[in-house]
Amino acid sequence: MLAHPQNSSRNDADDTQRREENLTMWSVNSEAMPLGDLLVRTASRTPDRIAIALPGEEHTYAELLNESILIARGLLSLGIERGDHVGIVAPNSYEFVAALFGTALVGAVSVPLSVRSTPRELAYVIPHAELKVIFATDLIRSHADSVQRIADAFPGLSDSDASKPLHLASAPHLQHVVMLQGEDRPGTIGRVAFAKLADQSSSDAVNIARSRVRIRDAGLVLYTSGTTSNPKGCLLSHENITRGTFARPGAAFSAEEFTEPMVMWCAPPLFHSAAIQGLLFCIHLGGTFLTDVHLDGDRALALARKYRANSLWGMFMAAMRSLMDAEGFDPAEFSHVHSMMSVGTPADLMELQSVFPQALLVNGLGMTEVTGWFALSDRADTPEQRARTQGKPVTGAEIRVIDPETGEDRPDNTPGELLIRTYTVMLGYFHDEEKTREAIDENGWLHTGDLVSRTPTGHLIFEGRIKDMLKVGGENVPTTEIEVFLCEHPDVLIAEVVGIPDARLDEVPVAFVQLSRGSMATADDLIAYCKGELASFKTPRAIFFKEETDWPMSSTKISKVALRVEAREHQVSSTRP
């Protein structure tokens, strides 16, 4: 029906407002591509821009693409095919990023592992992940010799002929360990030899392999500690990895409004889903990614100064504090910083906002099973909301907060278990159908095990974890893993692990132990037993002894709630003058 003439101006105004609202609503596109295509696209657009910089080195997008293609050619020469699993045991580095993309270019699946993994941990993960090739470096050999740890996990490696596929009984799928940097080691293929192998395959062969990768193919397996003693491998598709990475941070940060290329300082290790998401978001924007082989405040400050970092992705307050506590740090030098991402206590985040008042602080909730962030601060959030809530579910994420006992939905402001259903939920746990069924129900809801409450405005507030899990410096640490290991000591009868607050790592583990009758083991003995077998951040900071009648009990089991209170009392008494 035609509008009356007297209403035409009002209708025009309504149409204009509607068009503007639609443009805002539809400004974030749902884009997905194979991981290798991301680097190819950005390198073709900005070949001479610096892609990645570390202290003392920088590399352009063209250089990164060329190195990634060389690695891909080497993998093809070693017989790696689409769907094969390739491990990356390296610190944050140019080599790590090139290996990630080189693996993706041939359609293989990257499995990044922590350089802090102990031989015990590697002995489980490497065969479980069915790794055919492992990439390693000597970049932090004096601090964490990952190649030696692999050799300790599989003693036959050092005696093997590197020119032939490996035959290790305890790792039957593993064929080669390749050094992307550093000295040749026994049983490994050195950098020079690997480059010669790459000459046996062409760039055309890599391009053909790249063209065969499907969006729903697996692209990553990220291992995350669960509530059992062994970690679980989250199988993530190329859609999981790229579609979520492009859309979610872009919505929170309003990337379209950036007036200059992003220069992102990112602190966490790249085997962590949050750091990988930061890396890929930065490359998607054609930005420069700043990182380091290990976290050091003074080095981070110098790097951020040199490249004028305008987005700070500390992710965790421990990393942000390392930067702010560095000698010579002056907030005035960083008045150009437009955004930052971190989680922490409300007091921590309010302090962070006061140091960088002009920057948009993004808080959030994430987990490896959802390929990173699933809730982020909204653009319209106030500083108070950014500090005290973990934001709102991102577009495309369905959220339920339920009573974990009854499955009924909880009302606002009432803690319950968080359930998520979205396109970034993992394909499943690798080689663990039972745990996959436990985690993802028949209707596609991922049961996170996290306790959250939802405000009337739709913001989420993290309330804790249903099952015991510590968060040490941003890393999930299951108390069960430490308890099981302690109980393997011949003198330990019972072990219970809880967390206590820590200024640097947010929380750290301590253990309560009941010794076998007649044992004379000391706290120092048990801590020494853990060192070298458990990663340093999993090693208990203190051991407290219990007699059989001393344990605080709930109706049927030892009360960890009471143990946490007791641990904090020990902590307070030990700090009194």
Side-chain angles (χ1 to χ4, degrees):
M1 185 175 73
L2 296 175
H4 292 293
Q6 63 267 30
N7 292 331
S8 61
S9 60
R10 186 183 66 188
N11 290 340
D12 288 345
D14 290 345
D15 287 343
T16 299
Q17 181 179 353
R18 191 175 298 112
R19 283 196 299 271
E20 291 176 352
E21 290 174 350
N22 285 341
L23 285 172
T24 299
M25 181 182 302
W26 297 96
S27 62
V28 178
N29 296 317
S30 182
E31 181 182 16
M33 65 178 66
L35 179 56
D37 287 9
L38 169 61
L39 177 59
V40 172
R41 183 179 71 174
T42 302
S44 67
R45 292 174 176 175
T46 57
D48 298 325
R49 183 173 294 161
I50 297 170
I52 181 169
L54 293 91
E57 62 174 301
E58 60 184 36
H59 306 273
T60 67
Y61 276 100
E63 291 169 339
L64 177 58
L65 178 58
N66 287 338
E67 179 69 8
S68 299
I69 292 172
L70 183 147
I71 289 172
R73 287 165 43 215
L75 286 172
L76 290 178
S77 298
L78 291 175
I80 294 302
E81 301 177 345
R82 192 180 90 194
D84 287 342
H85 288 194
V86 175
I88 307 174
V89 189
N92 289 14
S93 57
Y94 176 58
E95 290 79 7
F96 184 109
V97 177
L100 179 73
F101 282 108
T103 302
L105 287 172
V106 300
V109 182
S110 291
V111 186
L113 300 176
S114 171
V115 293
R116 295 187 290 176
S117 297
T118 66
R120 175 190 179 92
E121 293 163 336
L122 293 170
Y124 171 78
V125 172
I126 288 173
H128 182 271
E130 296 186 354
L131 300 186
K132 286 194 172 181
V133 171
I134 297 175
F135 288 122
T137 75
D138 271 347
L139 285 166
I140 54 172
R141 182 175 181 178
S142 62
H143 174 66
D145 189 343
S146 54
V147 179
Q148 184 59 52
R149 293 181 183 188
I150 295 170
D152 290 343
F154 305 100
L157 175 64
S158 298
D159 299 324
S160 299
D161 182 352
S163 65
K164 300 177 182 178
L166 299 170
H167 293 284
L168 303 175
S170 52
H173 294 89
L174 185 60
Q175 297 177 3
H176 303 283
V177 177
V178 177
M179 298 294 295
L180 290 180
Q181 178 278 338
E183 300 176 7
D184 292 358
R185 309 282 285 273
T188 69
I189 299 174
R191 167 70 188 196
V192 173
F194 183 66
K196 289 180 179 178
L197 276 170
D199 289 339
Q200 298 175 16
S201 297
S202 67
S203 296
D204 287 343
V206 173
N207 204 30
I208 291 170
R210 177 174 73 96
S211 69
R212 293 172 176 164
V213 180
R214 299 172 297 188
I215 296 296
R216 293 303 289 170
D217 285 347
L220 279 175
V221 176
L222 296 181
Y223 274 82
T224 180
S225 294
T227 53
T228 60
S229 59
N230 291 320
K232 296 173 290 188
C234 298
L235 198 61
L236 306 174
S237 70
H238 290 270
E239 180 186 10
N240 291 153
I241 300 159
T242 59
R243 184 180 174 192
T245 293
F246 300 166
R248 292 177 293 185
F253 281 99
S254 187
E256 296 82 1
E257 299 172 7
F258 295 160
T259 58
E260 58 184 13
M262 174 175 273
V263 181
M264 176 192 291
W265 172 69
C266 186
L270 282 167
F271 65 83
H272 197 291
S273 60
I276 287 183
Q277 191 170 19
L279 168 71
L280 300 185
F281 181 54
C282 187
I283 289 177
H284 167 62
L285 296 178
T288 297
F289 186 77
L290 311 178
T291 192
D292 203 349
V293 293
H294 61 87
L295 180 59
D296 178 277
D298 292 337
R299 287 163 61 99
L301 178 58
L303 191 67
R305 276 175 175 162
K306 179 178 179 179
Y307 292 95
R308 285 182 55 81
N310 55 27
S311 191
L312 307 177
W313 288 47
M315 306 289 189
F316 306 101
M317 279 304 300
M320 296 299 292
R321 288 197 182 282
S322 74
L323 179 68
M324 296 186 295
D325 292 344
E327 185 176 354
F329 172 78
D330 182 357
E333 283 190 272
F334 293 91
S335 59
H336 58 281
V337 171
H338 55 60
S339 54
M340 52 189 175
M341 178 172 276
S342 185
V343 297
T345 67
D348 285 336
L349 297 180
M350 292 297 285
E351 177 190 355
L352 191 58
Q353 288 186 329
S354 70
V355 175
F356 302 97
Q358 81 290 346
L360 184 71
L361 170 65
V362 178
N363 196 349
L365 278 175
M367 63 189 308
T368 308
E369 286 86 345
V370 195
T371 329
W373 306 104
F374 57 81
L376 290 168
S377 300
D378 189 80
R379 294 184 191 181
D381 282 351
T382 65
E384 184 80 6
Q385 287 173 317
R386 293 175 183 277
R388 297 192 178 280
T389 78
Q390 280 66 56
K392 293 181 178 180
V394 297
T395 303
E398 300 176 78
I399 297 293
R400 292 182 63 198
V401 181
I402 67 165
D403 184 322
E405 298 294 330
T406 66
E408 297 295 321
D409 289 307
R410 291 283 206 179
D412 288 344
N413 299 323
T414 306
E417 183 182 9
L418 175 69
L419 273 58
I420 307 171
R421 186 167 61 185
T422 180
Y423 60 84
T424 59
V425 169
M426 64 177 177
L427 300 174
Y429 292 120
F430 184 64
H431 273 338
D432 205 328
E433 293 183 6
E434 181 179 351
K435 284 189 171 58
T436 299
R437 287 193 298 269
E438 291 174 2
I440 304 173
D441 66 26
E442 63 276 9
N443 294 314
W445 289 101
L446 174 70
H447 293 245
T448 68
D450 286 343
L451 287 171
V452 303
S453 57
R454 180 167 43 194
T455 72
T457 58
H459 291 80
L460 300 178
I461 299 174
F462 180 70
E463 304 283 0
R465 288 166 288 278
I466 294 176
K467 297 180 180 179
D468 282 308
M469 177 78 74
L470 306 183
K471 202 81 167 179
V472 183
E475 292 299 319
N476 287 337
V477 177
T479 57
T480 308
E481 179 182 357
I482 306 172
E483 290 161 355
V484 168
F485 182 73
L486 279 170
C487 287
E488 291 177 359
H489 190 285
D491 291 334
V492 174
L493 188 63
I494 299 173
E496 296 285 345
V497 173
V498 297
I500 58 172
D502 182 82
R504 187 173 66 88
L505 298 174
D506 295 327
E507 65 177 339
V508 292
V510 298
F512 289 84
V513 168
Q514 180 181 332
L515 296 175
S516 303
R517 191 174 300 235
S519 169
M520 301 298 291
T522 66
D524 288 342
D525 293 335
L526 297 182
I527 291 174
Y529 171 73
C530 294
K531 287 181 177 178
E533 294 295 329
L534 294 176
S536 58
F537 60 91
K538 298 178 183 178
T539 299
R541 298 305 190 271
I543 304 283
F544 306 115
F545 291 103
K546 290 285 188 183
E547 297 295 335
E548 184 177 358
T549 56
D550 291 341
W551 292 104
M553 303 295 293
S554 62
S555 56
T556 59
K557 60 183 179 180
I558 294 170
S559 171
K560 284 202 171 182
V561 173
L563 290 179
R564 291 188 191 99
V565 172
E566 186 174 339
R568 283 160 176 76
E569 290 174 351
H570 281 294
Q571 186 181 29
V572 170
S573 64
S574 67
T575 57
R576 285 175 181 155

